[in-house]
Amino acid sequence: MNKGLAALISLGLLGIAANYITLLNFHSEQDTCSFGPVSNAEYRDYLAKARSLSGIVTSSLSADDTSTSANFTKLFEALSSGKSDVYSRLAIMHAALRSLGAEYRNTNGTYPDQGKSDPFVAAMNGLEIVAFNYVLDVFRIGAVLPWPRDAWVIGGLAGPRYYRSVGPAYPKMRGELAIIFHGPTLERPYRTDIEPKGICPPIPSGEIAENFSLLRK
């Protein structure tokens, strides 16, 4: 074989390996979380259930972000049925996204203050949605894309000042939590502002927690 061709093949194989080696990092430290009264053992129970139901997302992939968002939200709702307290719902949100290989990055990190303030206090004072930002390599959910592969996934929790839905994938009322999926595109290959800040989503203090719980219909 021509040496030049062999070198090109080797470089190509190395590129492919480098492209997929990130799949070996499962960020297991993000499964050590607890959520106030929800212990890590309870969280891991939710995680196991989420993995058993992950076909809600992986068996019905769509190129349409709104449809994919709806599937993610269906998984969350299947796990959170009967749960109205914010602590359980945040644990379930994290479990649902982690079960599909999503990596938690930050909360409100794409907003003007880059998530420096307490997100729940900010929501009490006017911010409508608490945005939990995750990055997901779509190869993990069965999408075969060489590049770009990083999706931006938001767990959007409607705060006490949320009055109307701002889009079809967003929560419909206060206390609802929807998962909003932004798939990778050539125009938006990667959100560089979704920088990591901690390994677990934050939770509200006990004094204001009820303001973020789901209103019973």
Side-chain angles (χ1 to χ4, degrees):
M1 181 184 292
N2 180 283
K3 289 184 178 179
L5 179 59
L8 284 173
I9 292 173
S10 296
L11 284 172
L13 291 173
L14 284 172
I16 292 170
N19 194 36
Y20 288 96
I21 200 165
T22 55
L23 293 173
L24 298 177
N25 188 350
F26 291 96
H27 298 281
S28 58
E29 73 281 0
Q30 296 197 355
D31 294 322
T32 62
C33 304
S34 57
F35 297 82
V38 180
S39 68
N40 180 250
E42 291 174 290
Y43 161 76
R44 288 182 181 274
D45 283 343
Y46 290 134
L47 181 61
K49 291 174 183 175
R51 285 172 175 157
S52 72
L53 295 173
S54 61
I56 292 173
V57 174
T58 58
S59 65
S60 52
L61 289 176
S62 170
D64 174 65
D65 285 356
T66 300
S67 297
T68 304
S69 297
N71 291 335
F72 272 89
T73 299
K74 283 177 186 175
L75 174 59
F76 168 76
E77 290 177 345
L79 293 163
S80 62
S81 177
K83 296 290 185 181
S84 61
D85 70 286
V86 66
Y87 299 117
S88 294
R89 291 169 65 78
L90 290 179
I92 292 166
M93 173 202 72
H94 190 59
L97 290 169
R98 291 290 302 141
S99 74
L100 294 163
E103 174 196 348
Y104 172 72
R105 287 301 184 88
N106 63 53
T107 298
N108 289 2
T110 60
Y111 289 176
D113 77 344
Q114 298 180 327
K116 293 176 183 175
S117 60
D118 182 311
F120 300 98
V121 172
M124 293 290 292
N125 292 329
L127 197 64
E128 291 191 352
I129 286 183
V130 181
F132 304 93
N133 295 303
Y134 291 75
V135 171
L136 172 63
D137 185 329
V138 294
F139 193 86
R140 294 187 187 276
I141 58 173
V144 182
L145 294 173
W147 185 90
R149 298 202 323 249
D150 284 323
W152 175 29
V153 190
I154 307 166
L157 173 63
R161 295 182 179 270
Y162 188 85
Y163 294 108
R164 63 185 179 86
S165 177
V166 296
Y170 283 74
K172 303 299 185 293
M173 60 184 290
R174 195 209 92 180
E176 280 196 350
L177 196 156
I179 298 177
I180 305 144
F181 180 89
H182 296 287
T185 67
L186 290 174
E187 292 78 19
R188 188 189 61 233
Y190 182 70
R191 286 295 301 261
T192 57
D193 53 354
I194 311 178
E195 295 302 325
K197 294 180 182 176
I199 63 173
C200 300
I203 59 174
S205 65
E207 293 78 10
I208 62 174
E210 189 58 31
N211 293 281
F212 298 91
S213 293
L214 182 65
L215 290 171
R216 295 190 180 277
K217 299 177 183 179

